[in-house]
CSV table of all heavy atoms in Angstrom, one decimal:
chain,number,residue,atom,x,y,z
A,1,VAL,N,-8.9,2.7,-20.8
A,1,VAL,CA,-8.4,3.9,-20.1
A,1,VAL,C,-7.8,3.6,-18.8
A,1,VAL,O,-8.1,2.6,-18.1
A,1,VAL,CB,-9.5,5.0,-20.0
A,1,VAL,CG1,-10.1,5.4,-21.3
A,1,VAL,CG2,-10.7,4.4,-19.1
A,2,ARG,N,-6.9,4.5,-18.3
A,2,ARG,CA,-6.4,4.4,-17.0
A,2,ARG,C,-6.4,5.8,-16.3
A,2,ARG,O,-6.3,6.8,-17.0
A,2,ARG,CB,-5.0,3.8,-17.0
A,2,ARG,CG,-3.9,4.7,-17.5
A,2,ARG,CD,-2.5,4.0,-17.3
A,2,ARG,NE,-1.5,5.0,-17.8
A,2,ARG,CZ,-0.2,4.7,-17.8
A,2,ARG,NH1,0.2,3.5,-17.4
A,2,ARG,NH2,0.7,5.6,-18.2
A,3,LEU,N,-6.5,5.8,-15.0
A,3,LEU,CA,-6.5,7.1,-14.3
A,3,LEU,C,-5.3,7.2,-13.4
A,3,LEU,O,-4.9,6.2,-12.7
A,3,LEU,CB,-7.8,7.2,-13.3
A,3,LEU,CG,-9.1,6.9,-14.0
A,3,LEU,CD1,-10.3,7.1,-12.9
A,3,LEU,CD2,-9.4,7.7,-15.2
A,4,ARG,N,-4.6,8.3,-13.5
A,4,ARG,CA,-3.4,8.6,-12.7
A,4,ARG,C,-3.7,9.7,-11.8
A,4,ARG,O,-4.2,10.7,-12.2
A,4,ARG,CB,-2.2,8.8,-13.6
A,4,ARG,CG,-1.7,7.7,-14.4
A,4,ARG,CD,-0.6,8.0,-15.3
A,4,ARG,NE,-0.9,8.9,-16.4
A,4,ARG,CZ,-0.6,10.2,-16.4
A,4,ARG,NH1,0.0,10.8,-15.4
A,4,ARG,NH2,-1.0,11.0,-17.4
A,5,GLY,N,-3.2,9.6,-10.5
A,5,GLY,CA,-3.4,10.8,-9.6
A,5,GLY,C,-2.8,12.0,-10.0
A,5,GLY,O,-1.7,12.1,-10.6
A,6,HIS,N,-3.4,13.2,-9.9
A,6,HIS,CA,-3.0,14.5,-10.3
A,6,HIS,C,-3.5,15.5,-9.4
A,6,HIS,O,-4.1,15.2,-8.3
A,6,HIS,CB,-3.3,14.7,-11.7
A,6,HIS,CG,-2.5,15.8,-12.4
A,6,HIS,ND1,-1.2,15.7,-12.7
A,6,HIS,CD2,-2.9,17.0,-12.8
A,6,HIS,CE1,-0.8,16.7,-13.3
A,6,HIS,NE2,-1.7,17.6,-13.4
A,7,PHE,N,-3.4,16.8,-9.7
A,7,PHE,CA,-4.0,17.9,-9.0
A,7,PHE,C,-4.6,18.9,-9.9
A,7,PHE,O,-4.0,19.4,-10.9
A,7,PHE,CB,-3.0,18.6,-8.1
A,7,PHE,CG,-3.5,19.9,-7.5
A,7,PHE,CD1,-4.4,19.9,-6.4
A,7,PHE,CD2,-3.2,21.1,-8.0
A,7,PHE,CE1,-4.9,21.1,-5.9
A,7,PHE,CE2,-3.7,22.3,-7.5
A,7,PHE,CZ,-4.6,22.3,-6.5
A,8,PHE,N,-5.9,19.3,-9.6
A,8,PHE,CA,-6.5,20.4,-10.3
A,8,PHE,C,-7.2,21.1,-9.1
A,8,PHE,O,-7.8,20.5,-8.3
A,8,PHE,CB,-7.5,20.0,-11.4
A,8,PHE,CG,-6.9,19.3,-12.5
A,8,PHE,CD1,-7.0,17.9,-12.7
A,8,PHE,CD2,-6.0,19.9,-13.4
A,8,PHE,CE1,-6.5,17.2,-13.7
A,8,PHE,CE2,-5.5,19.2,-14.5
A,8,PHE,CZ,-5.6,17.9,-14.6
A,9,PRO,N,-7.3,22.5,-9.2
A,9,PRO,CA,-7.9,23.2,-8.1
A,9,PRO,C,-9.3,22.9,-7.8
A,9,PRO,O,-9.9,23.0,-6.7
A,9,PRO,CB,-7.7,24.7,-8.5
A,9,PRO,CG,-6.6,24.7,-9.5
A,9,PRO,CD,-6.7,23.4,-10.2
A,10,PHE,N,-10.1,22.6,-8.9
A,10,PHE,CA,-11.5,22.5,-8.7
A,10,PHE,C,-12.0,21.1,-8.8
A,10,PHE,O,-13.2,20.8,-8.8
A,10,PHE,CB,-12.2,23.2,-10.0
A,10,PHE,CG,-11.5,23.0,-11.3
A,10,PHE,CD1,-11.8,22.0,-12.1
A,10,PHE,CD2,-10.5,23.9,-11.7
A,10,PHE,CE1,-11.2,21.9,-13.4
A,10,PHE,CE2,-9.9,23.8,-12.9
A,10,PHE,CZ,-10.2,22.8,-13.7
A,11,THR,N,-11.1,20.1,-8.6
A,11,THR,CA,-11.6,18.7,-8.5
A,11,THR,C,-10.8,18.1,-7.3
A,11,THR,O,-9.6,18.4,-7.1
A,11,THR,CB,-11.4,17.8,-9.7
A,11,THR,OG1,-10.0,18.0,-10.2
A,11,THR,CG2,-12.3,18.2,-10.8
A,12,GLU,N,-11.4,17.1,-6.6
A,12,GLU,CA,-10.7,16.4,-5.5
A,12,GLU,C,-11.4,15.1,-5.2
A,12,GLU,O,-12.6,15.1,-4.8
A,12,GLU,CB,-10.7,17.2,-4.2
A,12,GLU,CG,-10.0,16.6,-3.0
A,12,GLU,CD,-8.6,16.2,-3.3
A,12,GLU,OE1,-7.9,17.0,-4.0
A,12,GLU,OE2,-8.1,15.1,-2.8
A,13,PRO,N,-10.9,13.9,-5.5
A,13,PRO,CA,-9.5,13.8,-6.1
A,13,PRO,C,-9.5,14.1,-7.6
A,13,PRO,O,-10.5,14.2,-8.2
A,13,PRO,CB,-9.2,12.3,-5.9
A,13,PRO,CG,-10.6,11.7,-5.9
A,13,PRO,CD,-11.5,12.6,-5.2
A,14,SER,N,-8.2,14.4,-8.1
A,14,SER,CA,-8.0,14.8,-9.5
A,14,SER,C,-7.2,13.6,-10.1
A,14,SER,O,-6.4,13.0,-9.5
A,14,SER,CB,-7.3,16.1,-9.6
A,14,SER,OG,-8.0,17.1,-8.9
A,15,VAL,N,-7.5,13.4,-11.4
A,15,VAL,CA,-6.8,12.4,-12.2
A,15,VAL,C,-6.4,12.9,-13.5
A,15,VAL,O,-7.1,13.8,-14.1
A,15,VAL,CB,-7.6,11.1,-12.3
A,15,VAL,CG1,-7.8,10.5,-11.0
A,15,VAL,CG2,-8.9,11.4,-13.0
A,16,GLU,N,-5.3,12.4,-14.1
A,16,GLU,CA,-5.0,12.4,-15.5
A,16,GLU,C,-5.5,11.2,-16.1
A,16,GLU,O,-5.4,10.1,-15.5
A,16,GLU,CB,-3.5,12.6,-15.7
A,16,GLU,CG,-2.9,13.9,-15.3
A,16,GLU,CD,-3.0,14.9,-16.3
A,16,GLU,OE1,-3.8,14.8,-17.3
A,16,GLU,OE2,-2.3,16.0,-16.2
A,17,VAL,N,-6.1,11.3,-17.3
A,17,VAL,CA,-6.7,10.1,-18.0
A,17,VAL,C,-5.9,9.8,-19.2
A,17,VAL,O,-5.6,10.7,-20.1
A,17,VAL,CB,-8.2,10.5,-18.3
A,17,VAL,CG1,-8.8,9.2,-19.0
A,17,VAL,CG2,-9.0,10.8,-17.1
A,18,ASP,N,-5.5,8.5,-19.3
A,18,ASP,CA,-4.7,8.0,-20.5
A,18,ASP,C,-5.6,7.0,-21.2
A,18,ASP,O,-6.5,6.3,-20.7
A,18,ASP,CB,-3.5,7.3,-20.1
A,18,ASP,CG,-2.5,8.2,-19.3
A,18,ASP,OD1,-2.6,9.4,-19.5
A,18,ASP,OD2,-1.8,7.6,-18.5
A,19,VAL,N,-5.4,7.0,-22.6
A,19,VAL,CA,-6.1,5.9,-23.4
A,19,VAL,C,-5.0,5.1,-23.9
A,19,VAL,O,-3.9,5.5,-24.2
A,19,VAL,CB,-6.9,6.6,-24.5
A,19,VAL,CG1,-6.0,7.4,-25.5
A,19,VAL,CG2,-7.7,5.6,-25.3
A,20,SER,N,-5.3,3.7,-24.0
A,20,SER,CA,-4.3,2.8,-24.6
A,20,SER,C,-4.0,3.2,-26.0
A,20,SER,O,-4.9,3.6,-26.8
A,20,SER,CB,-4.8,1.4,-24.5
A,20,SER,OG,-6.1,1.3,-25.2
A,21,CYS,N,-2.7,3.1,-26.4
A,21,CYS,CA,-2.3,3.6,-27.7
A,21,CYS,C,-2.9,2.8,-28.8
A,21,CYS,O,-3.0,1.6,-28.7
A,21,CYS,CB,-0.8,3.5,-27.8
A,21,CYS,SG,-0.1,4.2,-29.3
A,22,PHE,N,-3.4,3.5,-29.8
A,22,PHE,CA,-4.1,2.9,-30.9
A,22,PHE,C,-3.2,2.8,-32.2
A,22,PHE,O,-3.6,2.5,-33.2
A,22,PHE,CB,-5.3,3.7,-31.3
A,22,PHE,CG,-5.2,5.2,-31.3
A,22,PHE,CD1,-4.6,5.9,-32.3
A,22,PHE,CD2,-5.5,5.9,-30.1
A,22,PHE,CE1,-4.4,7.3,-32.3
A,22,PHE,CE2,-5.3,7.3,-30.0
A,22,PHE,CZ,-4.7,8.0,-31.1
A,23,ASN,N,-1.9,3.1,-32.0
A,23,ASN,CA,-0.9,3.1,-33.0
A,23,ASN,C,0.0,2.0,-33.0
A,23,ASN,O,0.9,1.8,-33.9
A,23,ASN,CB,-0.2,4.5,-33.0
A,23,ASN,CG,0.7,4.7,-34.3
A,23,ASN,OD1,0.2,4.6,-35.4
A,23,ASN,ND2,2.0,4.9,-34.1
A,24,CYS,N,0.1,1.2,-31.9
A,24,CYS,CA,1.1,0.2,-31.7
A,24,CYS,C,0.5,-0.9,-30.9
A,24,CYS,O,-0.6,-1.0,-30.5
A,24,CYS,CB,2.3,0.8,-31.0
A,24,CYS,SG,1.9,1.4,-29.3
A,25,ASN,N,1.4,-1.9,-30.5
A,25,ASN,CA,1.1,-3.0,-29.6
A,25,ASN,C,1.9,-2.8,-28.3
A,25,ASN,O,3.1,-3.2,-28.3
A,25,ASN,CB,1.4,-4.3,-30.4
A,25,ASN,CG,1.1,-5.5,-29.5
A,25,ASN,OD1,0.3,-5.4,-28.5
A,25,ASN,ND2,1.7,-6.7,-29.8
A,26,ASN,N,1.3,-2.2,-27.4
A,26,ASN,CA,1.9,-2.0,-26.0
A,26,ASN,C,3.2,-1.3,-26.2
A,26,ASN,O,4.2,-1.6,-25.4
A,26,ASN,CB,2.1,-3.4,-25.4
A,26,ASN,CG,2.3,-3.3,-23.9
A,26,ASN,OD1,1.8,-2.3,-23.2
A,26,ASN,ND2,3.1,-4.2,-23.3
A,27,GLY,N,3.3,-0.3,-27.0
A,27,GLY,CA,4.4,0.6,-27.1
A,27,GLY,C,5.4,0.3,-28.2
A,27,GLY,O,6.3,1.0,-28.4
A,28,TRP,N,5.1,-0.9,-28.9
A,28,TRP,CA,6.1,-1.3,-29.9
A,28,TRP,C,5.5,-1.4,-31.3
A,28,TRP,O,4.3,-1.9,-31.4
A,28,TRP,CB,6.8,-2.6,-29.5
A,28,TRP,CG,7.5,-2.4,-28.2
A,28,TRP,CD1,7.1,-2.8,-27.0
A,28,TRP,CD2,8.8,-1.8,-28.0
A,28,TRP,NE1,8.0,-2.4,-26.0
A,28,TRP,CE2,9.0,-1.8,-26.6
A,28,TRP,CE3,9.7,-1.2,-28.8
A,28,TRP,CZ2,10.2,-1.3,-26.0
A,28,TRP,CZ3,10.9,-0.7,-28.3
A,28,TRP,CH2,11.1,-0.8,-26.9
A,29,MET,N,6.2,-1.0,-32.3
A,29,MET,CA,5.7,-1.1,-33.7
A,29,MET,C,6.0,-2.5,-34.3
A,29,MET,O,6.9,-3.3,-33.7
A,29,MET,CB,6.3,-0.1,-34.6
A,29,MET,CG,6.2,1.3,-34.1
A,29,MET,SD,4.4,1.8,-34.0
A,29,MET,CE,4.0,1.9,-35.8
A,30,PRO,N,5.3,-2.9,-35.3
A,30,PRO,CA,5.6,-4.3,-35.9
A,30,PRO,C,7.0,-4.6,-36.2
A,30,PRO,O,7.5,-5.7,-36.2
A,30,PRO,CB,4.7,-4.3,-37.1
A,30,PRO,CG,3.6,-3.4,-36.8
A,30,PRO,CD,4.2,-2.3,-36.0
A,31,ASP,N,7.8,-3.5,-36.6
A,31,ASP,CA,9.2,-3.7,-36.9
A,31,ASP,C,10.1,-3.8,-35.7
A,31,ASP,O,11.3,-3.8,-35.9
A,31,ASP,CB,9.7,-2.7,-37.9
A,31,ASP,CG,9.6,-1.2,-37.4
A,31,ASP,OD1,9.2,-1.1,-36.2
A,31,ASP,OD2,9.9,-0.3,-38.1
A,32,GLY,N,9.5,-3.7,-34.5
A,32,GLY,CA,10.4,-3.8,-33.3
A,32,GLY,C,10.8,-2.4,-32.8
A,32,GLY,O,11.4,-2.3,-31.8
């Protein structure tokens, strides 16, 4: 997971949370 800075009224600091893709290899499919 990675955290990116964001804004929500009820949290400080606020973050968006991403999960590493489980469908590919770093953004690319086996066929390129």
Side-chain angles (χ1 to χ4, degrees):
V1 297
R2 72 175 182 180
L3 310 183
R4 294 178 289 106
H6 198 67
F7 169 76
F8 299 108
F10 39 90
T11 52
E12 181 58 39
S14 302
V15 294
E16 291 276 15
V17 181
D18 302 332
V19 63
S20 55
C21 185
F22 42 83
N23 190 54
C24 65
N25 181 18
N26 200 28
W28 302 98
M29 304 299 290
D31 62 1

